[in-house]
Amino acid sequence: MKNYILLSMVFFWISKGFAQKELDTLYANENQILTLFFPSPIRQAITGHSRFIFTYNREREQYFGTLQSFPGPLSNLLVVTKDGSVYSYYLKYSKELTLLNYFFTENERIGHEEGISPLIKNGDVNSHPIWRSDECAISSTRRIVRIAERYNKK
């Protein structure tokens, strides 16, 4: 039984590193330009709806893009930078903007387009950009324990 508890605790600790980050919301409107600065030049970007217009220089690599919006429901923005980092945000229309410029860091990315982040340090789960929810980690641990019990493994 002690082994099951130890196994559960270790699995819970390790498995927290595999779920998506919660996305931030960016606010935009049709009267002001919201400028987004990334740590690497933008290679590709797309919005979820045509009411949100994200522009960036496709011919010359630049670190920033601009966003404008028209009234309507929530949407999203996906940006891939030259180094393969992936950034994703909810987009929401707002008549008034409190911030006109955002400066993002590598820590704010949701992952890497190749699925493995080059910034993850071997053996350091705190360097992983994506963390699993507690509920998911607990249910995964319970599933592993049931499998071990079924095959009489400790």
Side-chain angles (χ1 to χ4, degrees):
M1 185 65 174
K2 190 183 338 180
N3 289 340
Y4 288 130
I5 293 171
L6 182 62
L7 175 67
S8 298
M9 290 173 54
V10 169
F11 187 73
F12 176 77
W13 178 70
I14 291 172
S15 65
K16 284 193 65 144
F18 296 105
Q20 274 193 325
K21 281 184 175 182
E22 190 171 319
L23 301 182
D24 289 332
T25 302
L26 303 176
Y27 297 91
N29 64 33
E30 70 273 27
N31 297 317
Q32 296 169 301
I33 293 174
L34 179 65
T35 307
L36 309 177
F37 293 88
F38 294 89
S40 180
I42 299 168
R43 191 180 77 219
Q44 197 173 0
I46 189 168
T47 60
H49 195 280
S50 59
R51 286 179 294 89
F52 291 91
I53 303 159
F54 184 75
T55 57
Y56 64 99
N57 192 339
R58 289 175 172 87
E59 296 171 11
R60 183 172 164 247
E61 293 179 344
Q62 290 185 320
Y63 291 81
F64 70 92
T66 60
L67 179 68
Q68 284 191 290
S69 173
F70 295 94
L74 190 73
S75 186
N76 67 310
L77 170 68
L78 180 73
V79 175
V80 180
T81 58
K82 182 180 178 183
D83 67 356
S85 294
V86 179
Y87 298 84
S88 184
Y89 301 95
Y90 289 121
L91 299 177
K92 191 170 185 180
Y93 177 83
S94 178
K95 287 184 181 183
E96 299 292 324
L97 301 183
T98 55
L99 290 172
L100 297 176
N101 302 294
Y102 283 88
F103 292 85
F104 301 113
T105 65
E106 287 181 345
N107 293 338
E108 295 174 272
R109 67 185 184 174
I110 62 165
H112 195 269
E113 70 179 337
E114 294 176 4
I116 300 172
S117 172
L119 296 179
I120 296 173
K121 297 177 189 127
N122 193 13
D124 181 8
V125 297
N126 293 320
S127 68
H128 201 289
I130 303 172
W131 289 86
R132 177 173 280 178
S133 70
D134 294 343
E135 298 87 25
C136 186
I138 289 171
S139 71
S140 296
T141 301
R142 287 182 181 142
R143 188 173 31 226
I144 292 293
V145 169
R146 281 194 305 269
I147 291 169
E149 287 171 345
R150 185 181 319 147
Y151 293 101
N152 294 322
K153 301 291 181 181
K154 293 185 178 184

